[in-house]
Amino acid sequence: MKRIKKITAVLLAVCLIAGMAIVPSGVRQVRAAAVYLKEGDYTYRDLNDGTVMIEGYTGAGGAVHIPAELGGKTVSVISADTFVFNEALTELTIPAGVTDVAGTPGSSGAVGSTLEIFSRCTNLTGIHVDSGNTAFASEDGVLYNKEKTSLVRYPEGKAGDFVIPSGVTEIGGMAFDHCIRLTEVTVPSGTARIGDQAFAQCEELRAIRVEEGNPNYFSDDGVLYDKAKTELIQYPAGKAGEYAILSSTTQIKDYAFFRCGKLTKIRIPFGVDRLENTDRGGIFLECTALADIQVDEANPTYASEDGVLFSKDKKTLLRYPGGKAGAYTIPSGVTDVGLNAFMLCKNLTEITVSSSVTNLGDKLSTYAQGNPFVACSALTNIYVDQANTAYSSQDGVLYSKDRTELIAYPANKAGMYTVISDAAVIGYDAFFGCVKLTGITIPSSVKSIGGGAFEDCTSLTEVTIPSAVKNIGLFTFRGCTNLTTVVLPSDLETIDMSAFENCSSLTAVTIPSGIKSIGVGIFAGCTNLTNIVVPDGVSKIGYGAFSDCEKLSQITIPDSVLEIETRAFY
């Protein structure tokens, strides 16, 4: 007879505080790397070299002094996500023994990408370092390597203008990323290297100045270029109005214009042959006020028409300006729409796909198409010319020509919706951000639902998945904050990462018996979930599967479970 153990939330909390792995009696194997320890406000793990790495912080914030030791061992590493999104953090002091912050070694030499170091700590105004630290140093609340030749991280909440000290020769990748109160920065004459996205997403940054005599960089009206003025490196995100790229420019560095929300018009000169993120589909992405893109007629690579960016032959639509308002018809002759060409065009109200279009953005898989109009929050209808051989439209909703795949539902379309009976596939992000969708009927013909298909459908209250569906994709219902009821088919085989994350109104879910693994973050942030029965046959509960489920008071775990990953229940 199989033994089933019920673990209450109280027992879970006790075990977590004690730094113990949470396992039912039937668990025969728990991965060693999944053992995390807890002391005070910190979660950490042993590096087996006499030191520990901090992986998490649960304290109240404010001015935080990281302890020199945890568990009697020196703190040597602070992981990338320890303080990420911690808006309560205002000051941080790093102890003497720390030699690595988020993969950034503080010793002399090159400082690589800072990854997500202290990212989204929007009220962090100062980073301080113990004077005995041999790897890092600080000055005026800014983090440097010990020699102060490399600027590692500027605090996101630190306000005003900043002049980088003259001894700094290198600025780390993402060193100023998302510094939302930074207004102007001056690069000294001795700086030889600026890492990738060093000044990205600084929404109030109006100018990046470069001191005269710098042999590597140049500034034009606050816009950062290389010294030869052939590469535009960074446009300040807070710089408002129109801008004409220098005529000597041949390429735009990736993410140079990312989230430049005050840019209204851009002029591209004849010599530019590579724009930012061309391969990633991120040209002028999230430039929400940009209404007009103009290209010099002599440019051999790009062209523009009615403020929209095209390839020179106008067969590929590369970018529709994010701030351009009203309805739009894709011109006849266009065959391809670039990846994310319409993404986050929040003022686009209606789109008509012409007969010549055969590709609306890259296929995300051989089976499903991604939503080419994702996050177009004002879009109410998508129409397709009847002569189009690749796509069709039904009541303003985009389908494949044979109507077997639902590709995109307009984000501003309100009410309930019934998917047509011919459909076999609901594509990736098909209903993403459809906040006015109140109900959905999915027919029995549907066999596949793509990742993110209903993500952030905040008015959706209930959904029944048809029996033919075998997999719920990653992020499928994430952020559906009013979803109270979900009926999963009995033959469901897999539920992918974060499928129901932050479904905060969900109180109960019946997990089908065919599920063999509870994946990463599947029910994370389901704050009203009270009871879960893990079916017999499940062998693994993934990382953060039930994290931040504040009201989860009972979970039944069968003897078939062999592995419980870290942070599964907190």
Side-chain angles (χ1 to χ4, degrees), residues 219-231:
S219 177
D220 171 62
D221 195 24
V223 181
L224 182 64
Y225 288 83
D226 68 342
K227 188 65 174 181
K229 306 175 193 175
T230 58
E231 182 180 46

Side-chain angles (χ1 to χ4, degrees), residues 114 278 288 308 408 468 472:
T114 53
T278 303
T288 52
V308 180
I472 303 294

Side-chain angles (χ1 to χ4, degrees), residues 171-174 185 187 191-201 205 208-210 214-220 222-237 243 245-246 248-260 266 272 274-277 284:
I171 300 169
M174 301 178 74
V185 66
V187 178
T191 297
R193 179 184 177 273
I194 299 175
D196 290 345
Q197 302 174 57
F199 302 104
Q201 303 184 78
L205 182 62
I208 305 167
R209 310 288 183 195
V210 178
N214 188 301
N216 303 290
Y217 298 101
F218 174 82
S219 177
D220 171 62
V223 181
L224 182 64
Y225 288 83
D226 68 342
K227 188 65 174 181
K229 306 175 193 175
T230 58
E231 182 180 46
L232 191 157
I233 297 171
Q234 184 68 60
Y235 185 90
Y243 184 70
I245 298 171
L246 293 178
S248 56
T249 305
T250 59
Q251 61 181 344
I252 313 296
K253 193 174 181 67
D254 287 347
Y255 301 103
F257 287 92
F258 181 55
R259 289 185 176 170
C260 291
I266 189 75
V272 171
R274 186 190 181 278
L275 292 168
E276 59 170 350
N277 307 313
F284 303 122

Side-chain angles (χ1 to χ4, degrees), residues 282-316:
I283 302 171
F284 303 122
L285 190 62
E286 295 193 46
C287 294
T288 52
L290 182 62
D292 191 2
I293 303 170
Q294 294 294 323
V295 180
D296 189 297
E297 291 183 358
N299 189 297
T301 307
Y302 302 106
S304 60
E305 181 179 316
D306 192 27
V308 180
L309 180 67
F310 296 86
S311 59
K312 184 63 177 180
D313 60 8
K314 294 187 179 180
K315 290 185 177 180
T316 301

Side-chain angles (χ1 to χ4, degrees), residues 88-145:
L89 187 66
T90 57
E91 300 274 342
L92 186 68
T93 300
I94 298 172
V98 171
T99 58
D100 188 307
V101 178
T104 300
S107 58
S108 60
V111 174
S113 171
T114 53
L115 301 176
E116 295 295 327
I117 177 174
F118 310 133
S119 179
R120 302 305 189 272
C121 297
T122 53
N123 291 304
L124 180 64
T125 58
I127 304 168
H128 311 290
V129 180
D130 187 288
S131 59
N133 192 297
T134 61
F136 296 100
S138 63
E139 181 179 319
D140 194 25
V142 180
L143 183 64
Y144 300 86
N145 69 338

